[in-house]
Amino acid sequence: MTFFSSPPLLLLIAHILTSFLSLKAAQFCRTSCGNISIHYPFGIDDGCGSLYYRNLLFCTASDQLHLRTPSGTFPVSAISYSDPYILISNPDMWNCQDGPNFRPTRPFALDPETHLTVSPLNDYLFFNCSEEDVMIAPKPVFCGRFPDRCDASCDSASYLCTHVPQCATALEGSSCCSYHPKAMDSLKLMLKYCASYTSVYWRSIGGVNEAYDQVAEYGIRIDFDIVVTTSCLRCQDVLKGGGSCGFDVQSLGFLCICNDKNVTTYCEDPSMASGSHRHRVIAGAVSAVSAAGALGVAAAILLLKKLKAKAPVTCGVQTNENRLF
């Protein structure tokens, strides 16, 4: 009994178990969910990908990828690592099948603490809004070229309202206007006075003519940052084994996960401990690492803390309630 209760031995056993659990979590990094590829900076298994996106994505038993947000979980339709963005669908939003029958809709929101942002390429259509409470007016043609000269009214003559994507006649006379909410509070106010809304994003089809190289589709495009660290670049360097970037689920320190399921600093040298390596963001000096390492990352995008403007703006709602956004 004395032997097994020895404090040093118990500490050793605890360390071995902790290391084993961390290794086990890191060994099984799935690279897809259904038909959607999962690569750095994302992971659907704890310990995989970037720590900044931990537990944001999960794969259901039916191989459907979902994104966790403060407003609920939403199915992911696609992920682009070269652009980069996540495309989600919101079943609560209006769709063509609803026609003029508008269902109660919850507003969509993202956690401001994450490295995700709602893309400016999204457009929002609001239906049957109260003209007493919402500023609804067709915007002049020059507003597209000089938006600073236009107010923030809900545009009833927008292209998307007159050419509703995929179902031009679905609204059957119901009113429609296009408006870009400046913040979550603004969206909540619009939904307070409108029957429903939907989000449309512009997908690039790579056309020769820039004026016609995008098509409107339903969904919410969410942009994300690819966190570039020297440790991850070295881990993914094909000259050093071409591993996958992850982290220790206990200490949250960086881990490099190799093809042979070994966990190390970089795959060519499995004997080096990785727990002491901390995240370091490259400040424009990608040349400090090998070019092959840069190829291991989907897009070399520097992680910058985004500053959001706090100045009051005019919104589509005519009241002064909650205008601090």
Side-chain angles (χ1 to χ4, degrees):
M1 292 297 292
T2 303
F3 175 77
F4 287 102
S5 62
S6 172
L9 181 60
L10 291 177
L11 289 174
L12 177 61
I13 294 174
H15 175 73
I16 294 174
L17 289 175
T18 300
S19 300
F20 173 75
L21 291 174
S22 299
L23 177 61
K24 185 178 180 180
Q27 279 184 341
F28 302 99
C29 292
R30 286 171 287 177
T31 57
S32 66
C33 177
N35 62 349
I36 300 178
S37 298
I38 306 298
H39 301 302
Y40 185 85
F42 297 119
I44 52 178
D45 300 292
D46 202 11
C48 303
S50 171
L51 180 61
Y52 294 111
Y53 296 103
R54 184 181 189 182
N55 297 327
L56 281 179
L57 295 177
F58 70 95
C59 191
T60 67
S62 58
D63 283 339
Q64 172 66 62
L65 189 64
H66 280 73
L67 172 71
R68 293 184 175 96
T69 76
S71 50
T73 60
F74 298 91
V76 177
S77 305
I79 299 179
S80 170
Y81 296 92
S82 57
D83 205 351
Y85 66 85
I86 302 173
L87 180 64
I88 68 169
S89 59
N90 183 353
D92 290 336
M93 287 184 175
W94 180 89
N95 58 55
C96 290
Q97 289 69 34
D98 291 335
N101 302 313
F102 301 110
R103 298 169 288 122
T105 306
R106 56 177 172 169
F108 175 78
L110 287 176
D111 186 347
E113 298 300 319
T114 64
H115 297 277
L116 302 176
T117 55
V118 178
S119 173
L121 295 180
N122 295 319
D123 279 307
Y124 301 90
L125 301 181
F126 294 85
F127 307 109
N128 284 4
C129 297
S130 168
E131 295 190 14
E132 296 180 358
D133 301 294
V134 177
M135 294 183 290
I136 302 175
K139 290 185 179 180
V141 175
F142 70 85
C143 284
R145 296 181 57 191
F146 308 102
D148 55 317
R149 300 184 186 179
C150 301
D151 60 22
S153 63
C154 199
D155 183 11
S156 59
S158 69
Y159 173 84
L160 291 176
C161 276
T162 55
H163 302 80
V164 181
Q166 303 172 16
C167 48
T169 61
L171 294 178
E172 295 182 2
S174 300
S175 65
C176 168
C177 63
S178 176
Y179 173 65
H180 289 272
K182 305 300 180 183
M184 190 61 198
D185 289 339
S186 183
L187 177 56
K188 287 180 180 178
L189 277 176
M190 291 294 291
L191 289 180
K192 182 178 179 180
Y193 300 114
C194 301
S196 186
Y197 86 120
T198 193
S199 173
V200 177
Y201 79 103
W202 292 91
R203 180 174 64 87
S204 176
I205 57 177
V208 178
N209 190 333
E210 293 184 2
Y212 301 97
D213 67 346
Q214 292 182 327
V215 294
E217 295 186 358
Y218 294 101
I220 303 176
R221 171 177 164 146
I222 300 171
D223 296 335
F224 63 90
D225 298 316
I226 294 183
V227 184
V228 180
T229 68
T230 53
S231 298
C232 184
L233 284 176
R234 183 166 63 166
C235 170
Q236 295 208 21
D237 192 336
V238 294
L239 299 180
K240 293 182 171 64
S244 301
C245 301
F247 57 91
D248 188 299
V249 297
Q250 300 295 329
S251 68
L252 305 184
F254 176 80
L255 290 179
C256 184
I257 306 162
C258 306
N259 293 331
D260 59 1
K261 307 304 182 185
N262 189 30
V263 176
T264 179
T265 301
Y266 58 90
C267 295
E268 191 178 53
D269 187 359
S271 64
M272 294 181 64
S274 59
S276 61
H277 284 257
R278 301 176 62 183
H279 287 272
R280 293 168 290 175
V281 177
I282 296 178
V286 178
S287 60
V289 295
S290 67
L295 293 176
V297 180
I301 299 176
L302 302 180
L303 175 61
L304 299 175
K305 188 67 177 179
K306 296 188 177 180
L307 301 177
K308 297 183 179 179
K310 297 296 183 180
V313 296
T314 306
C315 68
V317 179
Q318 297 201 60
T319 67
N320 286 320
E321 179 185 5
N322 290 337
R323 277 201 171 179
L324 300 176
F325 35 79

